[in-house]
Every structure is written in C-alpha cells, then in structure tokens.
Amino acid sequence: MTEAHDPLRRRWLGALALGGLLPGFAVATPPGAPAASARLLAAWQSDNDHRIGLIDLGAGQARVHRELLVPTRAHGLLVEAGGSVLAMARRPGDWLVRWHPQSDATQWQWVEDDRHFNGHVVASPDGRTLWTTETDRESGQGRVALRQARTLRKTTEFATLGMDPHEMLVLPQRVGDVPAGSLLVANGGIPSLPETGRAKRDLDRMDASLVALDGGSGRVLGQWRLRDPRLSIRHLAWDPVSACVGIALQAEHDDPDARRAAPVLAVWNGRELVTAHGQPALAGYGGDICARAEGGFLVSCTRAHQVALFGAGGQWQNSIALEEACALGEVAGTWWAAGRLSALGGGGTDRASLSTDLPAGSRIDNHWLAFG
C-alpha cells in the first residue's frame, strides 16, 4: 500500500487516529410509523462533507440508518456477502474502503502514486478477488487491477484496451461466445488531463468500447464499439430475463442538438452493441442503469429530469419525471430511483407507485444498492 504522504491523506488518517471517524448510528422508527419498504446502501453529499451509509425508504420519508464519513466524494458501491460493504472514491480517486455497518470497523486502501481509481470495484462470485478500474497517470491508459479481497492489495493488473475505464460486470452466464465469469469493462474513452482525471480534452479522439476480459489473466475475449464515437460507455446492468447487458451512455457531441437527441442506452447481446430506438430527446446523459424485473432497463436521465424505461432490445417505452434523477436500484422486484429531493419506486408498470422524501440536506450520488 502506498504511504499516505500527501496532505489530504495525512489529515484523513490523523482524523481517524483521533477518533474523527464518524460512528454510524441507528434511527428508531417512531411508534405507529410505517415500516421501511427498502434498505439501500448509498453515497451522498451534504454542504460540508461526504458520506456513505444505509438509508431506509418508507412511506413518505427516508431515514439514515447508519452512516460513515469519507474523505472525498464516493461513487461506486458494492455489498459483500458477509454484510460488509465497499465504497470507492469518484475518479480521479485515491481511496477504497471496506466498512462493516454493524461494528463500524473500517479497512482503508490508498491507490499507488502512479495510478488513480476510476470509481468502481466488483467482486468475483466466490468473493476472494476484487477488480478495480484505474488509470495510468503517465500514459492515460486504462487498467484493471486484480486485488485480494481480504487485504484489498493489488496482486497484478492488465490493460483495458482503452482510456477512461469505468464500471465492470462479471457475466453470470455465457452470452454469445463470451463465457460465464468473464469480466466486462466499460471503457468511457474520454481523453483527460492526467493531473485532474476529469478535464476532458481532444474529444475528436474519443474511443469508447465494451471489452470482455478473462478476469484472471487479462486475456482479451472481445471488444465492441458503437457507430457513434461521441457516445461514452459508462455504466452496466445485467438483465437475467433477456440475458443481455444494458449500458448507460453519455453523449459528448460538440453540436448541442446532436447531444440532446443522443441515445442514453445501448444493449449488448454478445454479438453487437445496439443503441436505443424510438427514444425522445433526453439530453444525452444516462446517469445510472438497472434492469427491470420483467426484463428491460431503466436509465436515469439526470439532465432531462426523467427515468426512462426501455424494453430488453432497447425500445423506448416511457419516461417518468423526477428532478435530477440519478441513482437506481432494485429491491425484491421494486425499482427505486433517487432524485434531488425525493425518491420514486415502482414495479411491473410504467408508472411510479411509491414516493418518498429523501433525508434533508443529503444529495444522493450516482448509485445505490439493495442491502440485506
């Protein structure tokens, strides 16, 4: 593990040593209040800090159940089989943390000085291995690091055949010629300045792709690109009904009209990437994606203030209004979408049937996941 030698790391580790790590706390449900209908692991921002935690969604309101202060804005989240969770800093990030909500125990890992984290971590089915998307600071090229789950330490790494790798997905079954257990990686393809990791440049050189890798050796099993090179491939969701992968897209066109009208979804069926069809203009920005219980996908269109519903083949079906819609998750057949001030939930219909206010002062980040 890299020594914490920069000021941010020194301040943060000093706070931990002095007890500055904020303990989680339980919020009791008042007598007669409705029981929570979902518990989600989320990341959020307030005016002064950044946190991850467990949020209970109930009838008309949501409550923070337990929470943890983190050094900077969190992005990708993972619920582990034993009840612990992993959270990673938003790119260009330098920290990864394992948190045990019941005991508040934490385990921190800082990225190596010549790399930065790209916001996502995924685990092998047996829980022994973790993969993290990273960027080589000198070359700007993408890497997937293989890490021991127990220690969080890197054992090896391999190239992603592109820049700006983002979310990953372990295939639960064979899709086309790609075997079960393969690692799918979303190469966002956006060149950026190494010192910031977020300042975009030379967008005419964009090269987004979906890559299938052997998760142990890094052997390339396939690579797919969209016809439109200005569509960045960001987030992934597995649909077990159709055995396809949905991909949330973010448009980077110079022409504002082309950007507004761009598709926010692509579907990978093992052979090709197919973009959404029949879709209205949704500002060209897909913030998050999850599968629908009946098959198909939901994409949060943050800049259009909508949650878009698509069939498994990419056919647009409907949109539901939600201010700054972003985080999406599924709990026992019900999807939940977080917006700026409230969350919506629904089942097998094209309308939201549940609504709840989010905790005051919290701004939910891109992702949340079912917990427990």
Side-chain angles (χ1 to χ4, degrees), residues 56-350:
D56 288 341
L57 300 182
Q61 61 181 333
R63 290 186 172 88
V64 175
H65 176 66
R66 302 188 76 85
E67 60 183 351
L68 175 75
L69 187 68
V70 292
T72 57
R73 182 174 168 182
H75 187 76
L77 305 166
L78 177 67
V79 178
E80 298 185 289
S84 57
V85 304
L86 293 171
M88 178 175 279
R90 186 179 72 151
R91 67 180 176 91
D94 62 357
W95 59 265
L96 169 68
V97 65
R98 173 176 283 126
W99 174 47
H100 299 264
Q102 292 304 313
S103 66
D104 283 318
T106 56
Q107 179 183 358
W108 294 86
Q109 178 71 34
W110 301 92
V111 77
E112 296 77 11
D113 290 336
D114 59 348
R115 300 286 183 267
H116 68 66
F117 285 132
N118 281 23
H120 282 276
V121 56
V122 68
S124 61
D126 62 10
R128 297 179 181 177
T129 298
L130 300 174
W131 293 278
T132 55
T133 45
E134 305 179 8
T135 289
D136 182 318
R137 287 182 180 271
E138 182 175 352
S139 69
Q141 292 301 301
R143 299 286 186 265
V144 168
L146 190 152
R147 297 175 178 271
Q148 289 184 342
R150 183 179 61 83
T151 65
L152 304 182
R153 297 195 177 192
K154 182 187 296 188
T155 58
T156 189
E157 67 176 25
F158 31 82
T160 69
L161 300 189
M163 297 175 290
D164 187 29
H166 205 61
E167 191 165 21
M168 298 164 288
L169 184 151
V170 179
L171 275 184
Q173 68 182 63
R174 174 179 286 273
V175 180
D177 294 330
V178 183
S182 299
L183 188 66
L184 290 185
V185 184
N187 279 319
I190 299 176
S192 60
L193 295 173
E195 56 270 26
T196 68
R198 297 192 67 83
K200 302 170 186 176
R201 62 176 183 177
D202 302 329
L203 290 176
D204 57 328
R205 296 195 299 111
M206 273 186 65
D207 184 22
S209 66
L210 182 71
V211 179
L213 304 173
D214 181 290
S217 67
R219 182 170 61 92
V220 178
L221 305 175
Q223 186 171 25
W224 299 264
R225 290 178 172 85
L226 294 163
R227 293 182 179 179
D228 185 344
R230 287 297 187 95
L231 294 175
S232 181
I233 293 174
R234 310 305 299 176
H235 294 122
L236 309 175
W238 168 253
D239 176 16
V241 178
S242 66
C244 290
V245 174
I247 304 162
L249 305 175
Q250 295 177 8
E252 299 290 345
H253 301 85
D254 296 326
D255 178 12
D257 290 336
R259 190 166 59 248
R260 280 192 293 268
V264 298
L265 171 75
V267 177
W268 178 75
N269 56 17
R271 302 180 304 277
E272 60 181 344
L273 291 173
V274 179
T275 53
H277 44 99
Q279 175 203 299
L282 292 169
Y285 188 92
D288 197 8
I289 184 170
C290 75
R292 301 167 64 186
E294 66 273 25
F297 302 96
L298 294 98
V299 178
S300 55
C301 304
T302 311
R303 296 173 182 172
H305 308 289
Q306 302 282 327
V307 177
L309 287 73
F310 294 90
Q315 175 64 40
W316 179 80
Q317 295 181 348
N318 191 30
S319 291
I320 299 168
L322 178 61
E323 183 183 3
E324 295 184 20
C326 203
L328 292 170
E330 185 268 334
V331 182
T334 297
W335 57 263
W336 288 93
R340 178 68 184 92
L341 301 172
S342 62
L344 298 178
T349 69
D350 285 349

